[in-house]
Every structure is written in C-alpha cells, then in structure tokens.
C-alpha cells in the first residue's frame, strides 16, 4: 500500500465517526495541554527564583562565621560550631585577593528607633559604603554611608523608605536626627522602595556605619561578610582566596563557611526542576489515560468493523497492512490531539503571563517535545493489542456474521 | 487451473466434529462457468472459502495456476488472493463510508498500484458495469443491484483468475437478480472463470457445469 493511500484510508475512518474522533482528540489534547501548562508554571517559578537571586547582587559570595559539620555519634547534632568570631580585621584582610572586587562586612541587630514622639523596632544593619553596590541598593534621597575608614564610627544613618515614612510621615526625613538605643544618628539618605527580596525587606531597615553598630550592639563579631567577585569566572578563585585568608588569620583553622550565590541558586534550581518534573509526570498520567481511551476505542472498532476487516482480508490485505491501518489511525489521533494540546497549553501559558506578568511562564523546550512524543508513544503502545486482534481476525467468520 | 485433491475440512461445533468437506477432488479449468448447489450445511460455502484461500483445508492439496497454495502462510495467501481471486458476496460487503468508486478501487489500493493506472482501470470498470453516474455515491445511496455491480467491478479490478460468488442474488429481488447474473455471465463470456454458489435451481440451470453437494461431498457433476 502507498503511504498516501494509508493516510487517506485512516483519514476517511476518522471522518466517518466525527464524535468519536473529537472525543479522543479532546482526551489527548487535555493530556498534552496539562503537561505544557504544568511545566510552564514550574519553569516560570524557577526563572522567577533565579531572577530574585540575581537581584540580591551579582557574583556574590557570602562568608559566615563558624563551620557547621555533623560528626559521628549523634546524627543531626552540630559539633564544633563557631570556635572563633569573624572580625572587621578579618574582613579588611580580604583586600589582598585579586579576585575580589569589593566586600561589605555586616552586623545585624534589632534596634528601637525613635524620632520625635514615635518609635519603631527595626532591624539595624551595620556595614560599609560598598554594601550599596554589592546588594544593588538604590538611594532615593541624600546619599549612602560615607566612604571612610570602617574602624571609625560616625553618627549617620540611612533608612528604608517605609521606616522613614513611619517615623516622619510626610515630612522630609533627610537631615533629621533619630535615636537608636542610646545613640543619636543623623539621617543622610533614604533608600528607594524595592520591596521584598528573598525574605529581606530593604524598605524596613536602618543602616549605620559598621563601627557604630559594633558599639551599639557591643560586639566585635561580624554576622556576615558579603563579597563580590570580579567576574563570574573569578567566583571560585575568590571563594578559595577567602578560605585561605581566613585560615591564615585563624591559625590554620578553616572555621568560616563560604557560600556562593551560584551554589544556593543551583540548589534552588535543582529543587524546582525536580518539582516541575514530578508534577509534569503526574500530568503525563493523563496522557496514559488518553492512551487507554484510544485502546478502548480501537478495541470497539475491531468489533464494530470486523466485517470490514474481514472484507479487507478477502480483498488481499495482509496482516501487516491491517495493523498499519490501525496504527495510522491512532497516530493521526495522537498527532491531532498533540497539536490541539500544544496550542491550548501555549494559550494557557500566555493567559498565566497576562495574569502574573512578573513570572515568566513558558514551557521549556523539552516539555514541548516530550508531551507530543509521549502522546504518540502511548497511542502506538495502546494500539498494539487491538491492531493485533484485527490482523488475526478470521475472514470467514468475520464475513459470515451479519 | 484449480486442482483440489483429497480436500477435507472439519469444524468443531459444540465439542462435536462436523465434517464440512470429506475427501473432495475437483478440477476446474480456465473459462468455466460453474455452479455449486446443495442444501444448507452441505459444505458448498466451505468449498468456496477454501478455493478462495480464505480457509485452509485440514487435509489434501490445492494447486492454483500450477502453484501449490496449501503450504503458503497467511500473508502469502493474502497476496495470492489479491492477484487471483475476486469475491462477490450475498450481502455485497461494501465499505459504507466509501463511495462506489473508492470501493471498487480498494483491492488496487491494497496492492499498491499507482494512482494513474488505478484511474485508467476505474474508468474502464465504471463504463463496463454501467456505474459512471453512480461513481460518487455511497452504498446507502445505491440500489441492491447497483451495490452488487459495484462489488463485481471491485472483484474484477485486479483482473483475477477466478470470480467466486456466494449467493450473489440471494439478497436481491428476481428482476435485479437476473440483471446481476447477466453481469456475471458477461464476465464469463469475456473469458473469465466464474464459480457461483446458489440455492436457486434456475441459476444453476444457466451455468455450464453444475456441481451438487451433499454432506461435504460432491455427489453430482453435470456439464452442458
């Protein structure tokens, strides 16, 4: 049989029973569309998280005091934590590395911030001028912390947009004095509203010079050192530089933890990818259901069309030809369903983007290939049995029954 | 051309063996017009199915155009059937969703004949069986006689060695039956071999060779 004839024959069968064809197309279409939409949502979430991390700063390395490790005896219990504080001098020593562009030591505490009659409890950050560039912060009014020796304290502070609004209302906060604990600071800058970025709201903080924070919270120990590598390629060099410098300064002990942004991002990436795959495979079950539907319909077709199959055999159709006709029919159904499903899925993704413009919903390429491929595969798989049955039909019996 | 030797066919019906054919010997030469008659269950349809390669004998040998076909597998049989056998059934067995011309074309489609050649043969067949005006109609838009003419045209489309007709007039009124019969006789006059299974003695009388069957055996073989 010629390919064109096989296709035409199958097409005539499908056109002969429109409602049956439409129902299967619907089932297949829903399956494919489900996979496309679900993966689009998952991929969108993954890209969203990646963007959020990007907004934290680029080529970022975070240095934490102490080194967490679990050891032997009791599982899950941290042993050997924080033998030594991380100090400003440790941070300043990082200047020696060529892979590091800039760094910002960080102290975090909670402070009672008062201005006039109002008071508010906010997180207080002690840091240096470089924090602004590292964390991609923007100043709406005034200026950021002055670029001076971080060992010396100055009575100035930069406040978040929300804090400024709550303490001073519609008055300009710039140049006003605020009291944090028992110290007074002059407001020299107001951060522009950036909102939440991975659990840390820059609108609700007050930033003071590092030395001021050290005095305020009465501690020398740094909470973190944020380090920016010179380039993406230099991240690992910067990371090992940090580790080496810290070890040298801490008598050969590597008692800090160095996290790269990439590593954190990669972890999130892995988690979200796994999540997407899991949900997508659940959606793919609907494809299997559609496949079973095809099998059902084909089995019914073998019974309903037994006279026709018997006739085809009497007219000289071989077993392989009969099977080919059934497979072609199933493939056409799967193709149609896949096309419809892809269209609906893309439409769904577009609607989702319309509704949540910040999240880039777009099904990944592998889903756009895998969904139709699985549809074809199940169609063929589930047509095996019906096609075999049709090919084995005894023509004498098939033709004799009315 | 057709040579059957010691053909036997047994069916198992409800645990009981039924001998549909016992030790049948038959020789049919090219261009014969032959009828097979006999009561129901005498084995005439089984004989027709075996000659038409739809069924296999349990014993005996069958030679078609000098080729032993008893040893062929199912797919080889299908190919021989396609080339050499044309079937005409009592209930027409047209594919309801296909037009008359598509039904006639079916064996040629299965054989993979190229469309230009198919077109040529179709034109000739439609003209020969007076179906030009009905070519685009589906079976449910055709009369019984027209359906059977379509079936005969389909049977002839591959230029078969033999036409096997199983009660071809059994589902038609007398007048239409006569008409269909004369179409089959024209096939014979053009040199074709025609075998008709029938109940109707009148049809039997028109044929040139009459086989009578009883209980799975040929009990009469008249010519003239």
């Amino acid at each position: 049989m010629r390919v064109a004839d096989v296709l035409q024959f199958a097409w005539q069968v499908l056109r002969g029973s429109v409602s049956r064809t439409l129902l299967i197309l619907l089932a297949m279409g829903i399956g494919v569309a489900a996979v496309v939409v679900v993966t689009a949502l998952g991929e969108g979430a993954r890209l969203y998280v990646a963007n959020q991390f990007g907004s934290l700063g680029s080529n970022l390395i975070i240095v934490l005091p102490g080194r967490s490790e679990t050891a032997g005896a009791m599982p899950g219990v941290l042993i050997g934590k924080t033998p030594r504080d991380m100090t400003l001098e440790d941070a300043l020593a990082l200047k020696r590395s060529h892979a590091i562009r800039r760094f910002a030591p960080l102290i975090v505490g909670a402070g009672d911030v008062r201005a006039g009659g109002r008071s508010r409890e906010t997180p207080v950050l002690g840091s240096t001028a470089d924090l602004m560039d590292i964390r991609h912060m923007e100043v709406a009014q005034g200026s950021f912390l002055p670029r001076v020796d971080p060992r010396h304290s100055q009575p100035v502070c930069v406040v978040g947009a929300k804090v400024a609004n709550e303490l001073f209302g519609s008055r300009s906060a710039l140049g006003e004095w605020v009291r944090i604990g028992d110290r007074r600071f002059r407001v020299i800058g107001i951060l522009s509203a950036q909102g939440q970025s991975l659990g840390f709201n820059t609108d609700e903080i007050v930033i003071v010079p590092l030395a001021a924070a050290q005095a305020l919270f009465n501690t020398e120990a740094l909470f973190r050192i944020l380090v920016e590598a010179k380039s993406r390629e230099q991240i690992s060099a910067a990371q090992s530089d940090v580790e080496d410098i810290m070890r040298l300064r801490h008598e050969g002990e590597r008692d800090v933890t160095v996290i790269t942004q990439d590593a954190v991002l990669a972890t999130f990436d892995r988690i979200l990818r796994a999540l997407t795959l899991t949900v997508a495979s659940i959606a793919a079950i609907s494809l299997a259901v559609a496949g079973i539907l095809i099998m059902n319909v084909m089995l019914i077709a073998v019974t309903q069309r037994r006279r026709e199959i018997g006739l085809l055999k009497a007219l000289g159709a071989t077993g392989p030809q009969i099977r080919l006709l059934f497979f072609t029919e199933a493939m056409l159904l799967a193709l149609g369903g896949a096309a419809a499903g892809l269209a609906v899925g893309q439409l769904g993704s577009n609607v989702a983007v319309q509704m949540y413009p910040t999240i880039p919903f777009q099904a990944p390429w592998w889903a756009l290939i895998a969904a139709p491929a699985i549809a074809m595969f199940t169609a063929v798989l589930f047509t095996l049995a019906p096609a075999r049955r049709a090919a084995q039909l005894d023509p004498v019996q098939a033709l004799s029954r009315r | 051309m057709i040579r059957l030797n010691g053909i036997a066919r047994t069916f198992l019906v409800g645990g009981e063996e039924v001998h549909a054919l016992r030790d049948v010997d038959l020789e049919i030469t090219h261009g014969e017009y032959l009828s097979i008659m006999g009561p129901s269950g005498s084995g005439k349809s089984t004989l027709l199915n075996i000659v038409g390669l739809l069924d296999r004998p349990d014993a005996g040998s069958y030679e078609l155009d000098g080729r032993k076909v008893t040893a062929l597998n199912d797919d080889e049989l299908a190919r021989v059937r396609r080339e050499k056998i044309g079937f005409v059934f009592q209930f027409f067995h047209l594919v309801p969703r296909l037009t008359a011309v598509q039904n006639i074309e079916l064996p040629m489609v299965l054989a993979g004949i190229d469309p230009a050649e198919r077109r040529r043969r179709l034109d000739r067949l439609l003209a020969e069986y007076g179906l030009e005006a009905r070519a685009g109609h589906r079976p449910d838009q055709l009369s019984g006689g027209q359906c059977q003419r379509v079936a005969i045209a389909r049977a002839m489309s591959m230029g078969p060695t033999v036409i096997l007709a199983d009660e071809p007039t059994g589902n038609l009124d007398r007048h239409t039956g006569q008409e269909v019969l004369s179409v089959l006789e024209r096939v014979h006059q053009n040199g074709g071999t025609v075998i008709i299974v029938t109940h109707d003695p009148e049809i039997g009388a028109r044929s040139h060779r009459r086989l009578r069957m009883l209980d799975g055996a040929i009990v009469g073989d008249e010519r003239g």
Side-chain angles (χ1 to χ4, degrees):
Chain A
M1 260 181 113
R2 310 170 137 257
V3 177
D5 290 330
V6 173
L7 286 175
Q8 205 207 346
F9 190 91
W11 173 245
Q12 278 163 340
V13 171
L14 294 179
R15 238 187 28 187
S17 41
V18 178
S19 57
R20 183 191 80 129
T21 304
L22 286 181
L23 272 176
I24 301 184
L25 286 184
L26 186 68
M28 268 286 164
I30 288 175
V32 172
V35 171
V36 170
V37 168
V38 161
T39 51
L41 295 183
E43 187 74 358
R46 194 178 69 80
L47 290 176
Y48 178 72
V49 168
N51 289 345
Q52 289 282 299
F53 265 96
S55 76
L56 265 186
S58 36
N59 309 326
L60 200 61
I61 298 168
I62 302 165
V63 188
L64 289 69
R67 182 162 156 232
S68 332
E69 56 184 21
T70 51
M74 303 215 292
V77 175
L78 298 173
I79 297 172
K81 246 191 105 183
T82 324
R84 200 177 276 105
D85 285 341
M86 201 162 68
T87 63
L88 176 60
E89 295 306 321
D90 289 337
L92 292 176
L94 295 179
K95 277 183 186 163
R96 296 211 297 267
S97 166
H98 296 293
I100 291 173
R101 186 194 302 277
R102 51 188 158 224
F103 59 89
L106 203 62
I107 288 179
V108 177
D112 195 23
V113 183
R114 277 162 298 166
R118 306 191 195 192
S119 123
R120 188 184 195 284
E121 173 103 2
T122 66
V124 175
L125 267 64
S127 191
T128 58
D130 279 331
L131 180 69
M132 182 170 90
D133 292 325
I134 291 175
R135 278 294 314 266
H136 296 174
M137 289 175 174
E138 275 168 40
V139 176
Q141 293 173 42
S143 57
F144 201 72
L145 297 177
R147 206 169 277 280
V148 294
D149 185 349
R151 295 184 189 85
H152 298 301
S153 174
Q154 280 174 305
V156 294
C157 70
V158 177
V159 297
K162 195 172 172 193
V163 176
N165 190 38
E166 283 179 358
L167 290 179
F168 300 101
S170 54
R171 281 189 297 134
S172 170
L174 217 56
E176 298 291 332
W177 288 90
V178 296
R179 182 173 281 276
I180 305 174
D182 55 357
R183 285 162 176 270
R184 296 207 320 147
F185 297 88
R186 186 188 283 279
V187 178
I188 57 164
I190 298 166
L191 296 173
S192 54
Q194 279 181 309
Q196 197 97 5
S197 144
L198 278 172
F200 205 65
N201 194 338
T202 53
D203 296 350
E204 293 187 40
I205 56 171
V206 173
I207 304 171
V208 299
L210 188 79
Q214 282 177 328
L216 200 59
F217 300 121
N218 191 24
T219 176
E220 290 289 307
L222 297 180
F223 174 65
R224 297 277 188 273
I225 304 173
L226 301 182
V227 178
E228 186 182 324
K230 281 200 170 130
S231 67
R232 195 178 171 77
E233 292 71 38
Q234 302 257 42
I235 289 177
S236 60
Q239 181 179 6
S240 58
D241 278 357
V242 170
E243 283 170 0
D244 290 346
I245 291 168
M246 288 301 172
R247 183 160 46 221
L248 272 177
R249 293 187 53 82
H250 289 183
E251 284 120 33
E253 267 202 71
R254 197 170 77 82
D255 57 1
V256 295
T257 302
V258 181
I259 303 171
T260 65
Q261 186 186 15
D262 276 13
V264 179
L265 186 55
T267 306
F268 265 95
D269 210 66
R270 269 202 305 280
I271 292 170
L272 284 168
R273 255 185 216 283
L275 213 67
T276 305
L277 263 178
T278 312
V279 184
S281 30
I282 292 171
I285 290 175
S286 60
L287 282 177
V289 174
I292 291 170
L293 186 75
I294 285 193
M295 172 153 85
N296 234 315
V297 166
M298 289 298 174
L299 283 174
I300 294 170
V302 173
T303 314
Q304 273 181 344
R305 304 217 302 259
R306 50 182 299 135
R307 280 213 303 158
E308 180 188 321
I309 296 162
L311 171 76
L312 287 176
K313 294 193 106 176
L315 296 181
T318 59
Q321 279 181 331
I322 302 271
R323 277 199 294 273
L324 179 67
L325 288 175
F326 270 81
F327 279 128
T328 308
E329 199 179 323
M331 287 297 282
L332 283 182
L333 284 172
L335 265 176
L342 285 179
V344 171
Q346 287 292 356
L347 202 73
S349 312
N350 289 350
V351 169
V353 168
Q354 293 285 317
M355 285 164 66
Y356 303 99
T358 50
I359 305 181
F361 294 113
Q362 166 60 42
W365 62 268
W366 55 262
L368 294 179
I369 293 170
I374 294 172
M376 307 287 185
F377 177 73
T378 49
V380 170
L381 185 75
F382 284 107
T383 309
L384 279 176
R388 216 172 82 101
R389 188 183 284 195
Q392 285 175 346
L393 212 60
D394 174 15
V396 174
Q397 280 192 17
L399 286 169
S400 65
R401 276 192 218 161
R402 276 282 281 158
Chain B
M1 179 196 73
I2 291 174
R3 185 174 291 132
L4 301 180
N5 255 320
I7 294 288
R9 182 76 173 98
T10 311
F11 293 107
L12 220 58
V13 180
E16 212 174 304
E17 282 196 349
V18 177
H19 296 278
L21 291 177
R22 342 169 168 243
D23 196 22
V24 170
D25 298 326
L26 179 62
E27 204 161 314
I28 302 169
T29 53
H30 197 76
E32 276 194 274
Y33 176 19
L34 181 143
S35 67
I36 305 174
M37 297 182 62
S40 295
S42 60
K44 35 186 209 309
S45 287
T46 306
L47 181 62
L48 198 75
N49 287 336
I50 284 177
V51 170
L53 301 172
L54 287 178
D55 200 1
R56 292 165 179 278
D58 298 321
S61 73
Y62 174 10
E63 221 173 89
L64 176 63
D65 283 345
R67 184 178 183 192
K68 277 219 190 268
V69 289
T70 358
L72 300 181
N73 68 27
D74 280 354
D75 289 341
E76 287 166 337
L77 282 181
R79 267 177 228 114
V80 175
R81 205 152 58 216
R82 182 194 291 164
E83 303 294 333
K84 296 186 185 293
I85 315 274
F87 285 100
V88 177
F89 303 95
Q90 181 179 358
F91 300 109
F92 321 138
H93 284 311
L94 302 180
V95 180
R97 65 172 176 277
L98 300 181
T99 62
V101 72
Q102 285 169 334
N103 267 292
I104 298 173
E105 198 179 14
L106 211 45
M108 299 189 279
V109 168
L110 289 171
I113 292 170
D114 86 291
E117 169 65 15
R118 279 183 347 218
R119 195 68 251 163
R120 242 190 325 277
R121 287 200 211 173
L122 283 173
D123 287 342
R124 189 171 51 75
L125 288 165
L126 288 174
E128 197 170 331
Y129 296 96
L131 291 163
E132 288 118 318
R134 297 266 137 194
H137 289 62
R138 285 195 182 40
D140 56 4
Q141 298 164 316
L142 299 173
S143 70
Q146 286 165 343
C147 280
Q148 202 57 302
R149 290 216 301 271
V150 170
I152 295 170
R154 180 179 65 192
M156 292 302 292
S157 64
M158 291 293 292
T161 307
V162 57
I163 290 283
L164 302 177
D166 192 355
E167 304 272 11
T169 61
N171 209 30
L172 300 171
D173 63 60
R174 210 186 118 72
H175 173 74
T176 320
Q178 295 287 336
E179 181 198 313
V180 164
L181 208 58
S182 60
V183 171
L184 282 172
E185 281 166 0
R186 206 163 65 236
V187 170
H188 160 65
Q189 280 150 21
N190 291 341
T193 312
V194 177
I195 302 177
I196 300 179
V197 165
T198 183
H199 272 108
D200 187 345
E202 199 180 327
I203 296 171
R206 286 170 68 156
S207 64
H208 301 162
R209 182 180 173 192
R210 288 168 295 279
L211 295 184
R212 284 200 58 79
M213 291 195 69
L214 200 63
D215 285 338
I218 295 173
V219 293
D221 187 350
E222 310 171 21
R223 286 164 197 269

